[in-house]
Each structure stands twice: as structure tokens, then as C-alpha cells.
Amino acid sequence: FTFDAIISYTSSGKLGEDDVAVARLMRHIPSTLAVPATLATSTPTDASNTPVTIYGFGCQNRPDGNGNPSTKPEPNLGEKQKREFPMGPIRWTCPGDSGGPTSITKTGAIFRVSSMLYYTEFFGIGAPDDFGNLVKRRSTILAQVAKWKS
């Protein structure tokens, strides 16, 4: 799909929680392919253990919800997958999940878009997870979408 407008809300000019952008597509996406998602009004905390779901094309070798390493093979870069786990200090993202949304529960509102590996607390390797904080930018994004619709 092509777009005719894009707005980036990155304030620091680098990756981080401000790394959010919206694009206006030139035509509608069929509902058989995708449906609009709602944006969350709050973000679960690391201590909340709120059930969350991440979607991406990353590896399958992720820890399970109890922090145990998976025995599934990796990489799995060609196949879209979802991973459900309780929100906590480990986000269980993998290379290939960049750009993938994370929602509250299985079908709830989206609160972030992952953009970096976060294995440091479990495996001792990797880098902190940078992500687009959609809750922080929610009102700005919704106002822009409303403007585009008018």
C-alpha cells in the first residue's frame, strides 16, 4: 500500500519512546486484510503482570511466560506470529519483531510498537527495548487522523 502523507513525532531524532509516525494511505485496506486498532489509554506496568500480546516476524526461541527458554527453533523471520505473556521486566521481543504492535490481552488496545531487542535481563545480552509509546502520543495521533478525515 502506498501513502501520500507521513508525520513523525520523534522529538529527539533517534530511536526511543518518541519514535512514532503515522502515515495516510492512499486507499483503504480491505477489512479481510486488516481492521483498525484502538489505541490504549494507559500502559501496563512491568509489575502489573497484565496479559499482553506481541505480533511480529521474530525468532521463535523466546522464553515462555514463566521465563523458561523455549525449545522452538530459530529464526522464524518469514512467518508472522503472536506471543502472549504477562507484562513484566522482560518484554520477550526478538529480532524481526521491530515494528510489531503490542496489545493489552489478546484483542485489546495497542499500547506500543516494538523496535529493538530486549534480552538483557534474562540472557545478559541484547539491548534495552526501544518502542513507540502510542499512549504518550495517543491524543496527537487521533487528532491527526481526524484532521485527515475532514
Side-chain angles (χ1 to χ4, degrees):
F1 293 90
T2 56
F3 60 90
D4 63 356
I6 188 166
I7 296 176
S8 174
Y9 298 108
T10 303
S11 60
S12 62
K14 58 184 178 179
L15 292 177
E17 76 171 38
D18 286 339
D19 187 20
V20 176
V22 266
R24 179 175 61 191
L25 300 177
M26 293 185 71
R27 63 185 178 101
H28 291 285
I29 294 176
S31 60
T32 54
L33 181 61
V35 295
T38 57
L39 300 181
T41 57
S42 63
T43 301
T45 66
D46 284 349
S48 71
N49 288 322
T50 302
V52 298
T53 301
I54 186 168
Y55 297 86
F57 290 86
C59 62
Q60 291 181 327
N61 190 18
R62 306 175 190 213
D64 66 17
N66 298 315
N68 301 311
S70 170
T71 57
K72 294 180 181 177
E74 63 173 319
N76 187 36
L77 300 177
E79 213 176 293
K80 183 177 172 184
Q81 60 181 307
K82 69 178 181 179
R83 179 75 171 100
E84 299 164 10
F85 54 90
M87 185 70 177
I90 301 172
R91 276 91 172 161
W92 298 305
T93 57
C94 287
D97 288 334
S98 299
T102 307
S103 65
I104 299 171
T105 69
K106 290 182 183 182
T107 58
I110 295 173
F111 65 92
R112 73 173 186 197
V113 176
S114 298
S115 60
M116 200 171 204
L117 177 65
Y118 196 107
Y119 269 177
T120 53
E121 294 176 33
F122 188 76
F123 295 105
I125 60 170
D129 187 21
D130 286 327
F131 56 88
N133 185 336
L134 299 179
V135 172
K136 179 178 179 180
R137 297 291 184 184
R138 184 179 190 275
S139 60
T140 306
I141 291 169
L142 294 177
Q144 182 59 56
V145 170
K147 184 178 176 181
W148 280 339
K149 285 183 175 181
S150 63

